Amino acid sequence: MEKVKLRLYQLTLILSLISLALALLSSGKQREFFYIAIYASIIGLACEYKKITVRPFTIALPILLIGLLNLSWYMVYEYHSEGLNVYSDYLGASKKLILASILIFYLDRFKSYIDQASFQKYFLYASGAGFILATGYGLWQASQGMGRIEMAINRATVSAYVYSVLSLAFVYSLYLQKNIKLYVAAGFIILISYFVILLTGTRAAMGLYLLLAIILTLYHFRRIHLKSTLIFLCIVAGIVVVSYKPLILPKIQQTQIEVENYQKGNDATSLGARFSMWSVGIQNGLAHPLGQSVEDREVWTQQYVKNGHPHLAAALEFIKVHLHNEFIEKYSLQGFPGLAILFFAYISMFAYALKNKNGLLLTTLLLLLLYGMTDVILLSSEALIFFVTVFALSTPFSQTRQR
């Protein structure tokens, strides 16, 4: 029986690693391997039922709470009016989060089945394969004249979010090998990744990727190597100089123009619409502290814009989708309960990452948090599956063994 338990854990781990590697090559296959890994983890937990304990803390808990809150909100505010809508983003997200919490719990609780050195090697291979496949796919798309590369995901912004985390996951796994040549390789990976992110045209990723790469490096090594830092900065400067006019400058100019237009009362731009959405989202939360349905939010917002706030009209174009901010979206629909659970999730997971010196989890959380300031990641199927898979695979990196 012990051999069966070991094989089940290994199978779950391999399936999760394959899902990670396929994230930007095939969304369909990524999803299939993700669900098969969950089914394997459920069987594994059934075999291990005598060893299951709720302590110590596991990051599966906050993921489960978000999923349960989404499901509860849907049943209270959406189900009565439309019945069970299997295409609902919130219903789909709740299912993925609840199932993902099972996968995370299983990989976390029984990580003693694999030694840390072996896991680091497997993660290196999987993240490396995923990075190479995604980079090759993106560069091929660019060579075909695609304006903003998007790899296997049909939204360039989501692709940039996933790619940036996948790249830093690979860099982190290279750092763990403690090899000078691989440190140099990690530096080149960062530079190549930044160029690919520029090709996605995603401002958030363009602005945050290098910053998080530096944070990850400093957090891992706990020191600054002056010579290598200068070489790295020189290479980055070279890439920025070459890319500035065709890729970076247009985004800077676009941002300046959109901010100026918004200040003049025109919110019919990408940034302007976001500013309007955030404003009406906060007002929705204040007016409905215990939550409301998507339909009620739309009706209330229409009245709010009509009654003295016409400068926020662009928000109406997106009010049926989401408000491009993870926290404001939660607050506008789920009120204080949604906001409280989301804060708990981030705080508890950050505390876990710092306590266990888990650089992968810390970096992934930071990017999810920062990207969530201008988008809603936890409603995108591909991004959600990717991020929770990274969370699950980050737990064996924790330096403290949990049984």
Side-chain angles (χ1 to χ4, degrees):
M1 190 62 180
E2 287 303 314
K3 184 173 287 188
V4 173
K5 294 177 181 178
L6 172 62
R7 293 291 180 263
L8 276 170
Y9 188 88
Q10 291 173 335
L11 175 62
T12 305
L13 191 60
I14 291 170
L15 291 168
S16 301
L17 289 168
I18 294 174
S19 177
L20 176 79
L22 294 177
L24 289 168
L25 185 68
S26 172
S27 298
K29 294 299 180 183
Q30 173 210 22
R31 184 168 55 252
E32 288 176 16
F33 280 101
F34 170 72
Y35 282 120
I36 297 171
I38 289 171
Y39 301 146
S41 69
I42 292 172
I43 297 172
L45 283 173
C47 294
E48 303 277 7
Y49 72 96
K50 291 183 179 179
K51 298 180 182 179
I52 296 175
T53 60
V54 295
R55 293 186 179 183
F57 175 81
T58 171
I59 59 172
L61 174 61
I63 299 299
L64 175 63
L65 289 177
I66 296 175
L68 290 175
L69 178 68
N70 284 352
L71 180 61
S72 301
W73 169 84
Y74 178 84
M75 298 306 292
V76 170
Y77 289 107
E78 296 292 330
Y79 180 77
H80 70 279
S81 60
E82 62 180 24
L84 188 64
N85 177 12
V86 294
Y87 299 104
S88 166
D89 288 338
Y90 270 93
L91 184 61
S94 68
K95 177 183 71 174
K96 293 180 181 69
L97 288 165
I98 292 169
L99 291 175
S101 69
I102 299 173
L103 176 65
I104 295 170
F105 182 83
Y106 179 62
L107 290 182
D108 186 21
R109 277 293 184 264
F110 301 100
K111 60 190 173 187
S112 56
Y113 278 128
I114 185 170
D115 65 275
Q116 206 168 58
S118 297
F119 174 75
Q120 289 176 7
K121 180 176 66 175
Y122 299 148
F123 189 85
L124 173 65
Y125 294 154
S127 59
F131 172 79
I132 292 169
L133 291 169
T135 302
Y137 195 4
L139 293 176
W140 177 81
Q141 288 180 333
S143 71
Q144 299 302 303
M146 183 175 285
R148 295 179 65 186
I149 65 172
E150 53 192 32
M151 289 157 267
I153 304 174
N154 62 2
R155 297 179 302 285
T157 51
V158 177
S159 295
Y161 302 153
V162 171
Y163 182 82
S164 62
V165 175
L166 179 61
S167 168
L168 291 181
F170 184 36
V171 167
Y172 180 67
S173 64
L174 289 171
Y175 286 164
L176 291 174
Q177 302 307 305
K178 299 179 181 179
N179 182 295
I180 296 297
K181 292 181 180 178
L182 294 183
Y183 292 160
V184 175
F188 280 106
I189 295 300
I190 292 172
L191 298 176
I192 293 169
S193 300
Y194 188 62
F195 178 71
V196 172
I197 287 171
L198 290 177
L199 294 176
T200 68
T202 304
R203 284 176 286 193
M206 291 164 62
L208 292 172
Y209 176 77
L210 286 179
L211 175 62
L212 267 294
I214 293 170
I215 290 174
L216 174 64
T217 303
L218 292 176
Y219 182 78
H220 180 75
F221 292 105
R222 303 292 202 279
R223 68 183 69 177
I224 299 176
H225 298 87
L226 183 59
K227 186 177 179 180
S228 58
T229 301
L230 288 175
I231 294 172
F232 176 79
L233 290 176
C234 288
I235 297 174
V236 170
I239 289 181
V240 170
V241 169
V242 172
S243 307
Y244 184 75
K245 191 171 182 179
L247 298 173
I248 299 175
L249 182 59
K251 290 296 178 181
I252 295 175
Q253 292 174 335
Q254 179 186 352
T255 301
Q256 291 175 335
I257 291 170
E258 290 179 356
V259 171
E260 291 172 0
N261 285 339
Y262 185 77
Q263 291 174 339
K264 295 175 183 178
N266 175 21
D267 65 343
T269 62
S270 178
L271 272 182
R274 278 175 165 80
F275 295 150
S276 293
M277 284 186 276
W278 299 341
S279 179
V280 300
I282 292 171
Q283 294 303 319
N284 267 281
L286 292 171
H288 306 88
L290 296 180
Q292 63 178 331
S293 69
V294 174
E295 294 77 10
D296 288 342
R297 182 177 70 178
E298 181 183 5
V299 171
W300 191 91
T301 303
Q302 287 172 343
Q303 291 297 317
Y304 182 75
V305 171
K306 182 180 178 180
N307 297 329
H309 303 87
H311 59 288
L312 303 176
L316 296 175
E317 296 180 30
F318 304 93
I319 200 69
K320 288 184 179 180
V321 186
H322 60 68
L323 299 182
H324 286 75
N325 181 292
E326 202 82 60
F327 290 91
I328 293 176
E329 172 71 11
K330 281 283 183 190
Y331 185 44
S332 70
L333 289 177
Q334 299 176 357
F336 285 110
L339 204 56
I341 288 182
L342 194 58
F343 272 118
F344 168 75
Y346 274 109
I347 293 171
S348 60
M349 292 172 72
F350 271 121
Y352 175 94
L354 292 170
K355 179 181 178 181
N356 293 283
K357 300 179 181 178
N358 194 322
L360 174 62
L361 179 59
L362 181 64
T363 305
T364 303
L365 275 172
L366 280 170
L367 281 174
L368 181 61
L369 172 65
L370 295 171
Y371 288 151
M373 294 294 103
T374 58
D375 213 331
V376 178
I377 315 297
L378 298 180
L379 286 182
S380 166
S381 177
E382 301 91 347
L384 177 56
I385 289 175
F386 174 79
F387 274 96
V388 294
T389 301
V390 175
F391 290 157
L393 291 170
S394 72
T395 55
F397 282 116
S398 295
Q399 295 183 6
T400 344
R401 292 287 183 187
Q402 294 184 0
R403 294 176 181 261

